[in-house]
Amino acid sequence: YFDQQTIEEYDKMYEGQIERVLDFYEYSINGTIQTDSGESINVSASPVSPSCLNYYGLKIKEGRFVSHDDVDKSLSTIVIDQKVANKYFGGDALGKKLEIKSQDGNVYSLTVVGVLEESAEDVMMGMSSESSHSSLYIPYTYGLDINQISLENFVFNYINYSIKDIEDEEQFKKETEEYFDAVFKGTG
């Protein structure tokens, strides 16, 4: 398990060269949105970091993905898929408010900042525009805030990183293994 302090120390070692990929799917907003025609669309708004865009191979059709500013300020922004943009907004979604009614009855009002392209993988997995489910993305800090979870005491089971600018990958791998071996020495 990784605590926040250990991860932040590691992040500083490679500042500007790597970016932590954070996704807190277990703290997603799961619920529905209603179209003007009364149709319900099941959605899952996953709390993520900006680096998830490239890490998961997502493509933006319009607008942008979750930004560092969204995360730093815990903004109630959302990136939606093309299906939600078409069914809920008639294709014109940027800057508009989207309300998600969660399974526990709470209603979250989020500003649309981006629309994703539909990927071939979505179509293959049955998540196409004909599917009854949509995957959406919100800043991870907003997702943790509404679930009343603090990163200060959060324990990570795993960590993913996106490598941005590492010249010697073998040296990077060796240093990373040495760092975490030292962190976990004696933890058994």
Side-chain angles (χ1 to χ4, degrees), residues 33-37 39 41 61-62 80-94 96-98 112 115:
I33 56 176
Q34 296 273 173
T35 64
D36 288 338
S37 65
E39 180 184 359
I41 302 172
K61 182 175 182 180
E62 293 181 272
I80 63 176
D81 62 17
Q82 188 63 54
K83 178 178 69 171
V84 170
N86 290 341
K87 287 190 175 185
Y88 196 78
F89 297 108
D92 182 27
L94 289 182
K96 305 246 173 94
K97 291 287 185 187
L98 175 73
V112 177
V115 178

